[in-house]
Amino acid sequence: MQKIYTKIESIVGNVVVVKAEGVRNGDLAMVGKSYANVIKLDKDLVYLQVFSGTQGISTTDSVKFLNKPMMVSYSDSLLGRVFNGAGVPRDKGPELSDNMIPIGGPSANPAKRIVPKKMIRTGIPMIDLFNTLVESQKLPIFSVSGEPYNELLARIAMQAEVDVIVLGGMGLKHDDYLFFRDTLEKSGAMGHTVMFVHTASDPTVECTLVPDMSLAVAERFALDGKKVLVLLTDMTNYADAQKETAITMEQVPSNRGYPGDLYSCLAARYEKAVAFEGLGSITILSVTTMPGDDVTHPVPDNTGYITEGQYYLKNGRIEPFGSLSRLKQNVNGDTRNDHRALMDAMIKLYSSYKESLEKKSMGFMMSEWDEKLLKYGELFETKLMDLSVNISLEEALDLGWKILAECFEPNETGLKTKLIQERWPKKRA
């Protein structure tokens, strides 16, 4: 039975408080003509966050509790569609009301999870070759404002070898939203993609719902046997929305004003990454911007304790130092017999190149070995690190051997003789 209350105790920001009984945390309500959800219970006081904001709402407006949590429609009809953070269509298509499922449920039982052991190919050498993305992994992309992280996510959405892409945008500029939509439509990837987008001009509460909407849909696709890749941008905006809500509710702030349960909020979303035996999987790749390029900022700092490594996007490239896919060893021993050895050798030589580059900048005399390293570093950055490069893993491995052969003698690479004899490019007569 739906109860209706006609007295609102207080209105602060987008939060209204009403005295009510028999209400559950997370339930939906109607405040006037606007949807709201229960975000806090304090004895008989119920705190509701209004989706469309509280402008125009008075203390005499009616509040009707719907006795159900926030839900989203799930079916193949979602593919190719764009919705806002409340599940309302942005693409002028029909509203979907069939097969409604709750959002924000618990993560999968650890006993039902299987060990991640399958590679997700992206066509980006700095991922496929050096820090392989593994099915059911959870990885953040640490970056700063101004870096092309949204362009990187769009490329991954277009090229990743998965069945379904779920793209969740939080606090996006309208131009970024249009970029994602137009890019995926032109590439044809929109046909297996569903987007939940909150723009900077939308109500804050919708920002906090986007990850839950995205992951609830992804979970159902995975249980139907689909390999799902969830792309989220930007989790710092999500954390800022949680911070704004906590301030409105007068919670005692924690580090830099963020709520004390920031870690739990992030972990509850990232732990949705899972592979089910005999069914599908959910892989999460998220952007986390670092204010002031500060990795100790609460959002990237907490994220690092939850996820299985990270990608660092700096100067328009995925940096080989600092970037780490901790699960890559689960798969790169099975891709090609030279994958792991070549990866290690090329990164070691690139590290030596950085040292030679520093020596050159300080005016030291360059040796013949330094000159080789400088040539190698330039080729490595232009042919493998550049994010515009789009080649398969096998092509990237072959290209790696060619770069080594162009710059060094076989005995200078540190690779095993047997592997060199098998893979070293033959010189043309």
Side-chain angles (χ1 to χ4, degrees):
M1 179 178 176
Q2 296 177 347
K3 295 183 178 180
I4 299 177
Y5 299 84
T6 56
K7 181 183 178 183
I8 294 176
E9 300 295 323
S10 66
I11 301 174
V12 181
N14 293 327
V15 176
V16 302
V17 182
V18 63
K19 284 186 177 181
E21 297 178 349
V23 179
R24 298 172 300 180
N25 201 21
D27 274 2
L28 277 179
M30 292 293 296
V31 179
K33 296 181 179 180
S34 301
Y35 278 103
N37 70 325
V38 179
I39 57 175
K40 181 183 176 182
L41 298 174
D42 183 7
K43 297 180 181 178
D44 63 342
L45 293 179
V46 179
Y47 292 73
L48 298 130
Q49 189 163 27
V50 184
F51 290 1
S52 59
T54 54
Q55 187 173 1
I57 292 177
S58 71
T59 55
T60 57
D61 280 348
S62 64
V63 177
K64 179 170 68 173
F65 292 96
L66 305 183
N67 300 324
K68 64 180 182 179
M70 185 70 186
M71 306 185 85
V72 62
S73 174
Y74 164 73
S75 68
D76 286 340
S77 300
L78 284 174
L79 299 178
R81 298 295 307 276
V82 184
F83 303 89
N84 67 12
V88 178
R90 278 187 177 274
D91 55 8
K92 299 181 180 179
E95 289 200 29
L96 300 179
S97 57
D98 58 318
N99 195 21
M100 300 297 287
I101 59 174
I103 71 171
S107 57
N109 185 340
K112 296 296 184 182
R113 297 168 182 252
I114 61 174
V115 177
K117 54 188 175 184
K118 296 179 182 177
M119 172 185 178
I120 294 180
R121 293 171 176 259
T122 66
I124 300 172
M126 291 308 295
I127 294 178
D128 293 354
L129 176 52
F130 296 102
N131 273 299
T132 312
L133 182 62
V134 183
E135 193 175 322
S136 81
Q137 194 170 15
K138 46 187 180 290
L139 272 179
I141 300 172
F142 288 159
S143 184
V144 296
S145 296
E147 292 288 345
Y149 45 81
N150 287 331
E151 288 82 351
L152 174 60
L153 281 193
R155 268 199 62 196
I156 293 172
M158 289 187 290
Q159 299 172 189
E161 296 184 3
V162 295
D163 299 318
V164 176
I165 296 287
V166 181
L167 177 62
M170 292 157 279
L172 292 182
K173 293 187 292 186
H174 195 70
D175 288 348
D176 289 333
Y177 155 56
L178 295 178
F179 165 76
F180 275 120
R181 189 195 66 184
D182 295 345
T183 301
L184 296 180
E185 285 179 350
K186 289 176 183 177
S187 68
M190 198 66 193
H192 66 274
T193 300
V194 55
M195 294 174 61
F196 294 95
V197 175
H198 165 267
T199 65
S201 60
D202 293 334
T204 302
V205 63
E206 292 184 12
C207 184
T208 64
L209 295 174
V210 165
D212 292 337
M213 287 271 185
S214 303
L215 291 166
V217 167
E219 189 171 61
R220 293 305 294 266
F221 275 119
L223 290 172
D224 283 348
K226 304 291 187 182
K227 185 192 297 186
V228 186
L229 177 59
V230 179
L231 304 175
L232 301 173
T233 177
D234 165 5
M235 289 303 284
T236 301
N237 288 337
Y238 164 78
D240 288 342
Q242 294 284 9
K243 177 181 178 180
E244 184 176 329
T245 301
I247 291 172
T248 301
M249 294 168 61
E250 298 181 351
Q251 292 182 3
V252 177
S254 184
N255 190 6
R256 303 199 198 183
Y258 286 92
D261 65 346
L262 176 63
Y263 178 92
S264 298
C265 287
L266 295 172
R269 278 79 194 172
Y270 281 114
E271 290 301 330
K272 291 278 190 175
V274 62
F276 297 104
E277 185 72 50
L279 299 173
S281 64
I282 303 171
T283 307
I284 300 175
L285 194 59
S286 66
V287 170
T288 297
T289 51
M290 303 182 294
D293 201 14
D294 179 12
V295 75
T296 67
H297 183 275
V299 182
D301 186 37
N302 280 279
T303 300
Y305 286 103
I306 302 164
T307 52
E308 296 146 345
Q310 65 282 320
Y311 295 142
Y312 276 99
L313 185 62
K314 291 185 179 180
N315 301 317
R317 297 167 173 160
I318 296 176
E319 283 292 318
F321 308 121
S323 295
L324 173 64
S325 170
R326 291 196 180 98
L327 301 183
K328 63 184 177 183
Q329 65 269 22
N330 290 6
V331 298
N332 60 18
D334 301 323
T335 48
R336 211 169 83 172
N337 69 331
D338 59 331
H339 186 168
R340 190 172 293 176
L342 184 65
M343 171 188 71
D344 291 343
M346 294 195 76
I347 292 299
K348 287 178 183 176
L349 289 168
Y350 187 70
S351 176
S352 298
Y353 153 73
K354 285 291 190 179
E355 293 175 3
S356 295
L357 196 63
E358 187 175 354
K359 285 169 61 179
K360 182 180 180 181
S361 67
M362 296 173 67
F364 285 97
M365 185 178 295
M366 295 287 100
S367 65
E368 182 180 349
W369 175 243
D370 287 322
E371 295 295 344
K372 288 184 176 183
L373 288 170
L374 291 173
K375 179 181 179 182
Y376 165 77
E378 184 177 344
L379 289 173
F380 183 89
E381 290 180 346
T382 56
K383 294 190 174 184
L384 288 176
M385 285 184 70
D386 195 310
L387 289 180
S388 64
V389 177
N390 178 22
I391 54 179
S392 68
L393 171 63
E394 289 72 23
E395 290 174 314
L397 289 167
D398 291 340
L399 180 57
W401 282 106
K402 290 177 183 177
I403 292 173
L404 290 179
E406 190 172 337
C407 301
F408 306 107
E409 295 298 321
N411 62 346
E412 294 174 328
T413 61
L415 289 160
K416 291 183 178 180
T417 303
K418 182 180 178 181
L419 204 55
I420 289 174
Q421 290 173 345
E422 181 183 348
R423 297 289 183 181
W424 197 262
K426 301 296 189 291
K427 291 185 178 179
R428 296 181 182 177

